[in-house]
Amino acid sequence: MREGREQETAWPSQFPGLTPDGPERAAERADARNMPVERRSGTAPGPGSGQLGRSIIAGLRARNWRTVIVRAVDEEQAFGHGFLFLPVFLGAGALFWFSLPQTPGFSELALLICVFGMAAVLLRHSPGLRRSAAIFTFLFVAGMMLAAWETRRADTVMLDSPVTTRIQGRVVARETTDRGHWRYTVVLAETSDPVLKRPPERVTLLSRSREAPIAIGGGVEGRVRLSPPSGAALPGLNDFAFDSYFKGIGAVGYFYGKPKSVASPDSVAHGPMAAWRGKALERIAGWREAIGARIRATIGGDAGAIAAALVTAEERAISRPTVEALREAGLAHVLAISGLNMVLVAGTFLIGARTLLSLVPGLAHRFAIKKLAAVGALVMVFFYILISGGAVSAIRSWIMISIMLVAVLFDRPSISLRNVALSALVILVVTPSAVTGPGFQMSFAATLALVAGYGHWRDRPSRDMLPITMRTRSLTLVGGFFGGLLLSSLIGGLSTMIYSAGHFHRLAAYGLVGNILAMPVISVLVMPFGLLAMLLMPFGLDYYPLLVMGQGLEWMIAIADLVSSWGGEVATGRVPHGAFLLIAAGGVLACLFRTWLALSGILVIVVGLFAGWSGETVRPVLAVAEDGRLVALIDHKAVASNRARPGDFVFSQWQRALRLEAHEKPVTRDDLSLDEPAEVAAALDATGATRRHRPPFDPREARSALKKLVAEASGGRFACVAKQWCAATTRQGWRIVTVEDARLVGAACDQADIVVTPVMLRFFACRSGALLLSGQSLRRTGAVEIYAAPGDGGARPTDKADMRVVQAQEQLQRPWARHRTYDWRSGTFDSTAATE
């Protein structure tokens, strides 16, 4: 690796000032400012800790800070570090575009591109800071343009509201679950009973039937319940509709009964190229499913499901307790096809192929067997990415590993920050939406920190001080393995900590211990024998390698269960956006800079930590799910819900984001249930008539029953009448009523301060002035949080001015939220709602 450092400063680029000018130019700049430059075998100063320490000391002793900063910037440019910031500003532009409340037009972005592009050209011979600022601004706007182009290119039709219909389509992918059910990805050909005016092109459907599944590429028909992809569970949390939009999934749902296998409908792809691409993706999906099924059948249990996930990225077959144990032990990253998996696969193949080729007499003297092995590894990782599902972490790893292997072919340094930057550039150009997700952020944060840490470790001053003997070499190899394992686990855990807290609101307290215990098993048994099994699978000789792989995974699961039993998961709650951005930006600066400017990154991290630590944690008084069925009353860390068994998907996110602990179940008061009018009961008993059109309850009886129910709802707990309504009272004196029967909305509005119902009402407000959150209004606002005014802690008559309502959907003009304004009756979008 040390010989390759001569090459790091010779990187051609079309961006002047962003690439190294070579060691001679660095020396000239240093001499011009009386700055000493260390020369080592004709190379530019390395990134070692000694050089960084001397740079920091020189900066602290200097008096003219302007001169010191200019010198440091020139030195960074001499190293070629300007290139490393290209994906940073490109990704920042894309992230800014996705966070805008409105979608700017292409004409405005094109104008900005032209303006800043011309500025970059005109300032190409200006001093370094001015030139770099122009180029980075141009890249920021280019990132916005790429995000806009991807959004327009996706153009996914999102289902507007839940509906029950009959569908016919083509299965393009399928995946088994831990309960033996099948989840299909279906391209819709037609809908009926009713016919959808805006049918989504692609949907995912769960079949609970345990009979033989429908083949990939086959036709499917059945009655289904479709729903739009859900939004954020709380304001600021992950918006699943955003992810579905860029994945091309317009609806999710399930089959009623067993789906029927029919003749495959004609392809709905537009054009022969799209049809060929669809056929190719179906073929690859078939390979993935067949390989996963073979692995699960051979190994069995959760070990088999994890083994299949390591190869095909299909994780749904893993049981939920095992997944939670891996997360609490800090081993959830093993399930993703990330850099670890790709490095182990490529490294195992490279070393194994090189060893086998060296055994051929005379071959090593006539051919460069290292390059031959690198070519084989390139082919291997290409087939690996084909069957891996195409997750961001897998693509990033594949691009970076491919660049490293190509670098081996040209005798260039393989591990460098430039490879990380190149892989990030490729992903951002093709799919800029990936920058918003935790997969992209955590993957690149860990890789960036590990590569930067490896560079400092590689060039440490004490590296060559020990005499090399057989004994010291053995100790160095063993110590290097375990020391590298400890250091890489520590760096990887620290670098991804802020992203884990920001996106998942929890940390694995003993993640370092879990990784130290499990990684030797994964590195020695799991991935190498998994690779061997894949190579032997076409010949039917994969049985015994899979058994060894399965045994290693059984040990890994046992380690995860042990570590998770210590109860080391830490709930962090929601991280303030400002603190998150500061810590993330500081980590990037600390890793990319080689001079004393790296201290600026440490300083930004410290400021971000202080901002997050000093920020006051304010919990809402009330949380309402976007479907209106789940409502939670929050008092400090205690939570009371209107459901005895709230849905885990939403409620678990509430618990982690708000750091909730004790859950109070509702009190059932069936004695306060309202009886159906006599004529309705008789009609239902006689004919089983529909419940849609029923006469209302007696208003006086309804108000009396609700008054008693509210009186019973004390102590911050809901009192409920099954299938009718629930009531609760907050510390502020707010009376909360959740209504399931639409006939009781009027009575609730008369006596409550806040009324919540999943019913799609035609009106948006109560005549009494009470706050009404119905299925219709929640469809546009998404999940809702209600906060009390500061100092509002006593029970007293409620004023709506004391409530602060925060909604998850702050705007409805973006393509992944616009479907919320669609009216299927008129077939038009409500433009007024989009601007509310």
Side-chain angles (χ1 to χ4, degrees):
M1 303 302 299
R2 193 176 287 268
E3 304 86 46
R5 290 174 57 196
E6 296 179 355
Q7 311 291 338
E8 287 191 48
T9 59
W11 180 258
S13 174
Q14 297 180 356
F15 296 98
L18 298 184
T19 57
D21 298 322
E24 295 79 13
R25 182 57 178 163
E28 291 174 7
R29 293 181 176 178
D31 293 339
R33 296 174 172 82
N34 298 320
M35 181 179 69
V37 176
E38 178 187 4
R39 297 183 182 273
R40 185 186 303 170
S41 303
T43 63
S49 58
Q51 175 69 19
L52 179 59
R54 288 189 290 273
S55 178
I56 293 173
I57 294 173
L60 292 175
R61 290 179 177 176
R63 296 181 179 178
N64 190 341
W65 286 98
R66 178 182 175 85
T67 303
V68 171
I69 293 175
V70 172
R71 288 178 179 175
V73 171
D74 283 349
E75 190 174 353
E76 294 288 348
Q77 289 183 344
F79 286 136
H81 282 192
F83 177 81
L84 303 181
F85 283 89
L86 298 187
V88 175
F89 285 90
L90 203 66
L95 197 61
F96 177 75
W97 190 90
F98 287 121
S99 64
L100 291 175
Q102 298 181 4
T103 302
F106 265 86
S107 57
E108 290 85 349
L109 289 177
L111 179 61
L112 291 175
I113 283 282
C114 293
V115 170
F116 290 111
M118 289 187 294
V121 173
L122 294 175
L123 296 175
R124 65 185 183 278
H125 299 304
S126 299
L129 288 177
R130 193 177 303 172
R131 177 176 58 227
S132 298
I135 294 175
F136 289 146
T137 306
F138 169 78
L139 290 169
F140 186 87
V141 179
M144 296 177 63
M145 178 65 82
L146 288 172
W149 173 245
E150 185 194 13
T151 303
R152 175 171 293 189
R153 189 175 69 244
D155 195 25
T156 302
V157 176
M158 309 286 283
L159 185 68
D160 53 277
S161 58
V163 64
T164 299
T165 183
R166 176 169 291 275
I167 64 101
Q168 188 178 70
R170 180 185 181 92
V171 176
V172 295
R174 68 183 186 187
E175 185 178 358
T176 187
T177 69
D178 58 323
R179 298 183 178 181
H181 303 153
W182 287 93
R183 184 177 297 274
Y184 298 98
T185 301
V186 179
V187 175
L188 295 186
E190 62 177 286
T191 61
S192 59
D193 191 24
V195 176
L196 302 184
K197 292 184 178 180
R198 292 181 65 253
E201 180 180 345
R202 188 182 298 255
V203 300
T204 59
L205 295 168
L206 177 67
S207 172
R208 296 183 176 90
S209 173
R210 297 180 182 273
E211 299 185 19
I214 298 174
I216 295 176
V220 62
E221 184 181 12
R223 192 155 189 83
V224 300
R225 177 66 174 176
L226 294 178
S227 300
S230 61
L234 284 177
L237 271 59
N238 182 51
D239 187 352
F240 297 95
F242 177 90
D243 300 333
S244 295
Y245 178 86
F246 287 99
K247 291 178 181 178
I249 303 298
V252 296
Y254 54 89
F255 283 99
Y256 287 110
K258 178 186 175 183
K260 181 180 179 182
S261 179
V262 297
S264 178
D266 295 335
S267 176
V268 296
H270 304 288
M273 194 66 185
W276 176 86
R277 180 175 178 272
K279 289 286 186 180
L281 291 177
E282 289 179 13
R283 179 64 61 86
I284 294 172
W287 293 345
R288 291 181 62 211
E289 200 277 327
I291 292 173
R294 185 181 182 96
I295 294 174
R296 289 189 295 269
T298 303
I299 299 177
D302 280 337
I306 295 175
L310 292 176
V311 177
T312 66
E314 295 179 352
E315 302 178 14
R316 296 185 185 275
I318 309 172
S319 66
R320 294 304 95 188
T322 298
V323 172
E324 285 301 315
L326 291 172
R327 287 175 178 168
E328 294 175 3
L331 295 173
H333 65 90
V334 176
L335 301 179
I337 298 181
S338 58
L340 170 67
N341 311 55
M342 204 71 71
V343 165
L344 290 175
V345 167
T348 301
F349 188 93
L350 188 66
I351 295 173
R354 189 176 180 183
T355 302
L356 292 176
L357 291 174
S358 65
L359 298 178
V360 179
L363 184 62
H365 297 286
R366 292 192 296 270
F367 301 98
I369 58 174
K370 180 180 179 181
K371 296 182 179 181
L372 293 177
V375 173
L378 270 173
V379 177
M380 184 65 196
V381 295
F382 174 73
F383 282 105
Y384 191 11
I385 195 64
L386 281 181
I387 63 174
S388 67
V392 172
S393 59
I395 295 176
R396 191 272 309 163
S397 304
W398 171 65
I399 294 173
M400 187 171 178
I401 294 297
S402 299
I403 293 173
M404 292 172 60
L405 293 173
V406 171
V408 171
L409 298 179
F410 292 94
D411 299 316
R412 299 291 299 271
S414 55
I415 301 178
S416 69
L417 293 174
R418 188 172 295 112
N419 291 347
V420 182
L422 282 173
S423 58
L425 280 174
V426 173
I427 293 178
L428 289 174
V429 169
V430 178
T431 56
S433 61
V435 74
T436 64
F440 178 94
Q441 295 174 8
M442 298 182 72
S443 177
F444 275 97
T447 305
L448 185 63
L450 288 171
V451 173
Y454 168 77
H456 289 289
W457 176 261
R458 178 191 61 190
D459 296 303
R460 65 192 185 279
S462 59
R463 177 181 179 182
D464 301 323
M465 293 179 60
L466 293 176
I468 299 177
T469 62
M470 292 298 296
R471 183 176 181 180
T472 59
R473 183 184 296 274
S474 301
L475 292 176
T476 301
L477 290 175
V478 176
F481 175 78
F482 288 101
L485 178 63
L486 174 63
L487 191 61
S488 62
S489 298
L490 180 62
I491 293 175
L494 289 176
S495 62
T496 58
M497 188 175 294
I498 181 59
Y499 301 99
S500 180
H503 290 286
F504 306 113
H505 318 297
R506 59 181 177 180
L507 299 173
Y510 302 108
L512 179 61
V513 178
N515 277 272
I516 292 175
L517 294 177
M519 292 316 298
V521 177
I522 297 171
S523 303
V524 176
L525 291 180
V526 176
M527 294 307 299
F529 281 90
L531 172 63
L532 182 61
M534 292 301 100
L535 293 174
L536 296 178
M537 186 173 289
F539 309 102
L541 304 176
D542 56 313
Y543 180 76
Y544 291 105
L546 285 178
L547 290 184
V548 177
M549 181 186 186
Q551 183 59 60
L553 289 172
E554 292 285 359
W555 291 343
M556 185 191 76
I557 294 174
I559 293 171
D561 290 335
L562 173 65
V563 175
S564 65
S565 67
W566 301 340
E569 185 176 80
V570 179
T572 63
R574 281 184 291 196
V575 179
H577 291 296
F580 179 87
L581 293 176
L582 285 172
I583 296 173
V588 172
L589 295 177
C591 292
L592 294 186
F593 283 134
R594 295 190 183 186
T595 64
W596 66 269
L597 291 176
L599 284 179
S600 64
I602 305 298
L603 179 62
V604 173
I605 292 176
V606 172
V607 173
L609 290 173
F610 179 78
W613 174 75
S614 61
E616 182 181 0
T617 301
V618 180
R619 293 182 176 89
V621 175
L622 199 70
V624 182
E626 71 173 359
D627 61 358
R629 299 185 181 278
L630 178 62
V631 179
L633 195 67
I634 299 167
D635 186 4
H636 299 292
K637 291 189 176 182
V639 55
S641 70
N642 64 331
R643 301 282 178 179
R645 299 178 62 183
D648 183 67
F649 177 73
V650 173
F651 193 68
S652 62
Q653 294 184 69
W654 289 4
Q655 288 179 307
R656 292 193 298 268
L658 301 176
R659 297 179 64 187
L660 304 176
E661 295 177 356
H663 174 220
E664 294 287 346
K665 297 181 180 180
V667 177
T668 303
R669 292 299 309 271
D670 291 336
D671 57 307
L672 298 178
S673 176
L674 293 172
D675 296 328
E676 290 282 356
E679 61 272 19
V680 176
L684 290 174
D685 292 339
T687 63
T690 177
R691 292 179 177 267
R692 286 185 180 179
H693 306 290
R694 294 175 293 176
F697 292 105
D698 182 81
R700 288 175 298 179
E701 292 183 4
R703 284 194 294 267
S704 175
L706 181 57
K707 186 177 296 186
K708 295 179 182 178
L709 192 65
V710 171
E712 293 291 333
S714 59
R717 195 173 183 180
F718 277 95
C720 295
V721 176
K723 297 182 180 181
Q724 291 184 353
W725 48 14
C726 296
T729 304
T730 70
R731 289 188 301 110
Q732 294 76 16
W734 301 349
R735 292 163 295 180
I736 317 296
V737 177
T738 65
V739 181
E740 293 189 34
D741 194 320
R743 294 174 294 172
L744 299 174
V745 172
C749 282
D750 290 340
Q751 299 194 38
D753 301 305
I754 302 175
V755 179
V756 182
T757 177
V759 181
M760 303 292 286
L761 302 176
R762 297 294 186 94
F763 52 92
F764 290 90
C766 292
R767 289 178 297 180
S768 64
L771 176 63
L772 176 62
L773 301 176
S774 67
Q776 184 70 12
S777 63
L778 289 170
R779 177 190 174 210
R780 301 186 177 186
T781 63
V784 166
E785 290 177 321
I786 302 179
Y787 292 82
D792 185 9
R796 56 179 177 76
T798 304
D799 185 356
K800 288 179 65 175
D802 296 330
M803 301 179 188
R804 182 167 63 90
V805 180
V806 180
Q807 57 193 46
Q809 293 294 334
E810 297 180 353
Q811 46 71 33
L812 297 173
Q813 290 188 350
R814 307 312 296 272
W816 49 87
R818 189 166 176 256
H819 63 280
R820 294 174 178 267
T821 68
Y822 182 77
D823 182 6
W824 61 269
R825 295 177 180 85
S826 62
T828 59
F829 291 91
D830 186 352
S831 59
T832 58
T835 58
E836 289 179 354

